[in-house]
């Protein structure tokens, strides 16, 4: 779905229920918030923290929903075994080797073990802060799997007379699949409608207070 179609769909839902004018920046901002919230719910589902969000009824649905954001990249650590995540990493999924991830609490026992201590050919690693740390220290080249953050959509436009003229070349489309976009379009319209109602209530209360 293009960002133009996204805007048209959201405006249709809003004007059917709300009427009024909603500027492109307002729709972009609402969608970008909604898509980030939805991604976080999907990621929580992968970690069994919550039930399945709307539109996700099975493991296959979850895999489909996250597919546009699934990435595998080659990484190289520093000589100290440290690797810092790229800014777009939303969720680390694993390393494509037999290397074992351990917890911070498990690490001392592994390092001191005479049987299963890590080696340069079979290191272990932990997640720390915004990256990974491999043991024993050394430079490692690996393949990392992760889920990236969605890019923010942008509806680029100009004004001609009183008309909004869409500029496809300067716009940024959403990355989600069609099924997920159906959910996100509705949630975006609902968020804008809710914000609009909150504004109308606050404005009414202000006017009432001013008149008293």
């Amino acid at each position: 779905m293009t960002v133009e179609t996204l805007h048209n769909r959201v405006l249709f839902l809003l004007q059917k229920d709300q009427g009024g004018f909603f500027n492109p920046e307002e729709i972009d901002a609402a969608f970008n918030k909604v898509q980030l919230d939805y991604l976080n719910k999907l990621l929580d589902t992968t970690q069994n923290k919550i039930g399945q969000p709307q539109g996700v009824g099975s493991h296959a649905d979850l895999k489909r929903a996250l597919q546009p954001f699934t990435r595998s990249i080659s990484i190289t650590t520093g000589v100290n075994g440290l690797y810092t995540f790229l800014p777009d990493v939303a969720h680390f999924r694993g390393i494509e080797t037999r290397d074992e991830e351990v917890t911070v609490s498990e690490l001392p026992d592994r390092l001191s073990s005479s049987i299963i201590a890590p080696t340069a050919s079979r290191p272990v690693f932990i997640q720390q802060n915004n990256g990974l740390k491999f043991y024993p220290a050394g430079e490692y080249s690996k393949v990392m799997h992760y889920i990236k953050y969605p890019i923010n959509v942008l509806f680029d436009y100009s004004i001609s007379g009183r008309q909004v003229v869409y500029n496809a070349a300067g716009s940024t489309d959403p990355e989600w699949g069609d099924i997920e976009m159906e959910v996100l379009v509705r949630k975006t319209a609902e968020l804008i409608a809710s914000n609009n109602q909150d504004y109308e209530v606050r404005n009414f209360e202000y006017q009432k207070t001013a008149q008293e």
Side-chain angles (χ1 to χ4, degrees), residues 1-11 24-25 27-29 31-32 35 151-157 166-176 181 185 188:
M1 184 182 294
T2 67
V3 69
E4 180 183 29
T5 302
L6 162 65
H7 276 237
N8 289 339
R9 294 279 302 279
V10 169
L11 285 171
E25 291 83 1
I27 297 174
D28 282 349
F31 179 84
N32 289 329
Q35 72 167 344
I151 57 175
N152 286 338
V153 302
L154 174 65
F155 182 97
D156 190 42
Y157 68 98
Y166 171 63
N167 175 27
S171 297
T172 303
D173 293 332
E175 300 172 283
W176 298 88
M181 282 301 298
V185 163
T188 299

Side-chain angles (χ1 to χ4, degrees), residues 73-180:
I73 60 170
S74 297
I75 66 170
T76 300
T77 72
V79 294
N80 57 359
L82 280 172
Y83 172 75
T84 301
F85 290 145
L86 297 173
D88 72 338
V89 174
H91 174 65
F92 169 72
R93 298 182 64 203
I95 296 293
E96 194 176 271
T97 62
R98 297 173 64 189
D99 303 343
E100 183 181 353
E101 181 178 2
V102 298
T103 65
V104 173
S105 61
E106 294 171 334
L107 184 61
D109 288 339
R110 291 299 298 271
L111 294 179
S112 62
S113 173
S114 59
I115 301 174
I116 56 173
T119 65
S121 60
R122 291 291 301 276
V124 298
F125 66 92
I126 60 171
Q127 288 193 60
Q128 58 175 31
N129 299 325
N130 62 336
L132 306 174
K133 169 68 172 173
F134 285 81
Y135 296 89
E139 185 176 278
Y140 298 94
S141 294
K142 305 291 181 180
V143 174
M144 184 182 82
H145 306 295
Y146 72 99
I147 303 296
K148 80 176 194 70
Y149 286 110
I151 57 175
N152 286 338
V153 302
L154 174 65
F155 182 97
D156 190 42
Y157 68 98
S158 58
I159 299 293
S160 178
R162 300 179 65 182
Q163 296 295 316
V164 172
V165 180
Y166 171 63
N167 175 27
S171 297
T172 303
D173 293 332
E175 300 172 283
W176 298 88
D178 291 341
I179 294 176
E180 288 67 48

